[in-house]
Amino acid sequence: MAILVIGEHDNSTLRPSTLNTVTAAAALGTEVDLLIAGADCSSVTDEASKVESVSRVLVADDPSFADGLAENIAPLIASIAGNYSHVLAPATTYGKNILPRASALLDVQQISDISGIESEDTFVRPIYAGNAMATVRSTDVLKLITVRTTAFDAAGMDGAASVETVSGGGDAGLSKFVGEELTRSERPELTTADIIVSGGRGMQSSENFVLLEKLADKLGAAVGASRAAVDAGYVPNDYQVGQTGKVVAPNVYIAVGISGAIQHLAGMKDSKVIVAINKDEEAPIFQVADFGWVADLFEAIPQLDSALE
């Protein structure tokens, strides 16, 4: 079976989510193609050709793909999807934006956010905010799937794939890229960080998040937050971890002043080691924590910070 993976990138670097998706694709078949749709993306193409398990890199280099507009990329996917049994994309903002449009064009029911593969037509995906796992089977000849990247290891970079050019569909004229506002930080990005320090409503104010930022800098960690902290205006939206935020699975996740609502647990419960600091010993977060510290965070964080000195 031939599998197509939609590569996520910024025209200069391949996103880590693509490597996890390739691993999922390799579990379905031995012939894996990686599609790179962008503009002036030769550096991404070179990087993609080194991804293990990838047989071919298909490159669609066209100005209409420069900004990753789903309205332009979806028709491209639909035009080449007939050569494959499965089309996979990461269950990131990028993949969730593009693949449903391709599914509609192909009149195929999409399978979203899979975390396990049982066979070529049977998959496992979380439901009810991750409180239950559903096993679903698709009878469609062509299967379009988004992959929960935290459930699969990243593919290595020792491959030697061939590179082929595919023609793009051009600008569909349905949307236009206007601009973007990005938060710049020297800390690791949330979805790729080995260590994450997250704060919740218990932080009480945006000023108090400085405590977590200092701790994160000493640990080389990223800073996250619960939805409650984001909704309260303590930190920007891109800090949010959870069902409606970012799904993460770092080696260490430190939850500070986070009670552990279902929606938050859905975004971080796959972390390798979970450390919880909360003054409420009945907080649900302790049910998933590997290490729990029942203490006032404003006393605990300075102690932890001092110990790290």
Side-chain angles (χ1 to χ4, degrees), residues 4-278:
L4 178 66
V5 173
I6 311 303
E8 181 176 3
H9 61 90
D10 60 1
N11 291 312
S12 60
T13 306
L14 200 63
R15 298 291 191 197
S17 58
T18 303
L19 303 182
N20 303 91
T21 307
V22 167
T23 297
L28 287 166
T30 56
E31 187 179 344
V32 177
D33 290 352
L34 178 56
L35 173 65
I36 302 297
D40 297 324
C41 53
S42 58
S43 60
V44 180
T45 302
D46 292 341
E47 187 178 358
S49 67
K50 299 173 184 176
V51 178
E52 287 182 6
S53 302
V54 173
S55 302
R56 294 188 304 168
V57 177
L58 306 181
V59 183
D61 195 325
D62 188 276
S64 64
F65 302 138
D67 303 306
L69 294 177
E71 290 80 2
N72 293 342
I73 297 177
L76 169 67
I77 296 171
S79 69
I80 63 176
N83 300 321
Y84 301 93
S85 60
H86 300 71
V87 177
L88 274 60
T92 57
T93 302
Y94 181 84
K96 290 176 179 178
N97 188 30
I98 292 174
L99 214 62
R101 288 174 166 84
S103 297
L105 292 172
L106 292 163
D107 194 23
V108 172
Q109 183 172 330
Q110 178 181 309
I111 304 172
S112 301
D113 211 23
I114 68 163
S115 59
I117 297 171
E118 303 233 333
S119 68
E120 64 185 48
D121 63 358
T122 307
F123 311 92
V124 178
R125 62 180 301 273
I127 58 174
Y128 303 131
N131 281 307
M133 305 301 288
T135 301
V136 296
R137 181 172 178 266
S138 171
T139 57
D140 288 329
V141 175
L142 172 62
K143 298 167 181 60
L144 272 69
I145 302 167
T146 57
V147 175
R148 175 167 287 203
T149 55
T150 57
F152 297 89
D153 293 332
M157 297 297 293
D158 293 324
S162 61
V163 177
E164 296 183 15
T165 300
V166 294
S167 58
D171 190 349
L174 298 174
S175 62
K176 180 174 67 173
F177 180 79
V178 176
E180 61 186 357
E181 295 182 12
L182 301 176
T183 301
R184 303 291 183 184
S185 175
E186 293 182 0
R187 299 188 189 96
E189 205 277 324
L190 262 178
T191 56
T192 60
D194 285 333
I195 305 173
I196 296 175
V197 180
S198 274
R201 194 196 304 273
M203 297 304 299
Q204 299 181 6
S205 71
S206 57
E207 290 77 14
N208 289 333
F209 258 83
V210 173
L211 294 171
L212 299 189
E213 291 170 353
K214 289 180 179 178
L215 179 62
D217 289 341
K218 288 184 178 180
L219 294 170
V223 177
S226 67
R227 178 172 178 172
V230 171
D231 287 349
Y234 300 165
V235 289
N237 289 338
D238 55 349
Y239 279 47
Q240 185 175 329
V241 173
Q243 184 181 17
T244 54
K246 294 177 179 176
V247 177
V248 300
N251 288 323
V252 179
Y253 188 89
I254 303 175
V256 183
I258 295 175
S259 63
I262 290 173
Q263 291 82 357
H264 185 75
L265 298 183
M268 47 67 72
K269 64 184 180 64
D270 290 330
S271 303
K272 307 300 183 294
V273 176
I274 299 173
V275 180
I277 302 174
N278 199 299

